[in-house]
Amino acid sequence: MHSALDRALCDALALIRTTPGADLVDQAEQARKCLARAVTNAPDAPRQALAHIAAADEHLEYGELMEARTLLTAARGFLPGRRAMVAARA
């Protein structure tokens, strides 16, 4: 079940990449729909992941893509089986 939510998060992240000439409003709306379906199908997902997804949805509503991407990336870290990403130090 959580792998489907992880897949939806990856799909949403791919949809809201900023690329030249992209219709960002349409992409944000598609990402919101993708996330809404995934959250509906994963009611037992970790509360922290769902909270991050909800916050990302609010940012997507206002076209704040970078903020949404940050929150969606963080949400993935709360899913079972995901290892926390730690930046390597040089």
Side-chain angles (χ1 to χ4, degrees):
M1 185 70 69
H2 297 301
S3 63
L5 184 57
D6 187 44
R7 181 76 248 156
L9 288 167
C10 290
D11 291 346
L13 285 165
L15 281 167
I16 58 174
R17 284 192 182 122
T18 54
T19 55
D23 183 355
L24 300 179
V25 173
D26 183 51
Q27 288 175 312
E29 188 57 33
Q30 287 180 27
R32 292 182 75 206
K33 289 177 184 176
C34 174
L35 292 169
R37 281 190 305 271
V39 167
T40 300
N41 293 328
D44 63 336
R47 189 174 42 83
Q48 298 94 332
L50 295 176
H52 279 70
I53 293 168
D57 181 66
E58 288 184 35
H59 284 288
L60 287 171
E61 184 178 1
Y62 294 102
E64 299 166 339
L65 302 185
M66 292 308 295
E67 293 85 348
R69 287 185 61 79
T70 300
L71 287 161
L72 293 176
T73 301
R76 291 187 72 213
F78 290 108
L79 297 179
R82 300 280 314 161
R83 293 188 313 148
M85 301 302 263
V86 178
R89 293 189 177 180

